[in-house]
Amino acid sequence: MQQLRDWKFIPFLKIKPQVFATLVRVFYSNARPILNGEETETIAIESYLMGKPIVLDTQTIATHLGLQNTGLAEESTTFPNLYPPGTSTSVLDAHDRFLHLMVSWFFRPSEGKFSTIRGIGAFWIHCFRNNIRINLAQIIFTDMVYTVNHRHTNLVKSFPYGTVLSHIFLKEQIDCSVDLALPLTELIDEKSLRKCKFHLVNNEWVRNPNPQDDDGDDVQPPQAPPVVAAPPPVDIQALFAQLNANLDARFTAIDARFTTFTDDVNARFNSLDARHNAMEKRFKAQEDALRRVETEVSAHHLEWSSHTFGGLGLNDHSDEDDDIPPP
């Protein structure tokens, strides 16, 4: 812990374990490298996020993460071989095993969990053992530059340092509320060492002699499959009898509802028929009264015509009168 404090790694280890996954993908999608004057080296990464430009270089990353921009950053540096090639992580002591978990799970999220002491893992263990300061900000920046330059050719590689970028987004006052923060569940703690079969005995971490796999996870002994009791035999006749009873009950209910519906329809038709007969009688009476009025009007009209035109003598002359000369 004192070495981590001297290297200014403690603030970095305390950043909030969350990832704005969509914003991280947008950052890498819009990112482009900025080269030096000779165009021989990438000195910064420029991107565009939520309407705001963002430029990252080694010093910016170190400032936002509370790291120092000094130390060794060439992870390909050759050191004396601590372990034979292909050596399993199970040979590490508690200190180095815990460090290996930190490197593979936290510092190197794009590499995944190492099952053997190789390359990067051996580099970090050697630097910690010999107190060789590591420039973590430069290592992070180098990985980001590699991802930006190879994002179109290596589509299966995940975008690294999502937690780091999410922390930087908040520091740059970028609106991250549009993305759902995904919490990280893999934490490095005592449980991690216990999974690697280390146990605390007399205030010291000692290895459990039980066998373990290359990844350091507990190996569970093979277990016999659970005995499942055979289901009771099925009575087919009883099932059919129950089915028939259910169908009879349903048909009886449907028949009762249909009978009620029929009675209701018949009652409605009878009511309509009675109303129709009553209306027909009313129209018959009105028709008879109208005919009587028409007959009386016609009789009065004929009587008036006979009386009026008969008094004028228009109805008494005949054809013979036409030959009588006037007096």
Side-chain angles (χ1 to χ4, degrees), residues 141-280:
F141 177 73
T142 301
D143 283 347
M144 289 184 180
V145 171
Y146 178 85
T147 302
V148 170
N149 292 332
H150 296 81
R151 59 190 165 180
H152 301 302
T153 58
N154 191 359
L155 299 180
V156 298
K157 184 180 180 66
S158 61
F159 293 139
Y161 300 108
T163 305
V164 170
L165 285 173
S166 300
H167 179 76
I168 293 176
F169 296 160
L170 295 175
K171 289 288 187 178
E172 291 283 341
Q173 296 183 352
I174 293 176
D175 183 14
C176 300
S177 61
V178 297
D179 194 7
L180 179 64
L182 302 178
L184 301 182
T185 57
E186 289 288 351
L187 301 179
I188 307 299
D189 51 15
E190 291 185 5
K191 182 180 178 181
S192 304
L193 276 182
R194 296 184 187 278
K195 289 183 62 177
C196 298
K197 298 191 179 299
F198 284 91
H199 299 274
L200 195 61
V201 178
N202 296 328
N203 205 27
E204 291 186 2
W205 289 96
V206 297
R207 185 187 303 278
N208 190 327
N210 292 337
Q212 55 188 349
D213 60 358
D214 290 341
D215 290 337
D217 297 330
D218 293 340
V219 178
Q220 299 295 337
Q223 299 179 356
V227 178
V228 180
V234 179
D235 190 349
I236 301 298
Q237 293 183 352
L239 288 178
F240 273 109
Q242 184 179 2
L243 177 61
N244 290 331
N246 291 337
L247 291 176
D248 291 341
R250 288 174 177 251
F251 277 118
T252 301
I254 292 174
D255 185 63
R257 294 181 62 184
F258 184 76
T259 301
T260 303
F261 174 76
T262 303
D263 295 340
D264 185 48
V265 171
N266 291 334
R268 288 176 178 268
F269 273 113
N270 293 335
S271 176
L272 290 174
D273 188 58
R275 294 178 63 184
H276 176 266
N277 293 333
M279 292 179 66
E280 189 177 19

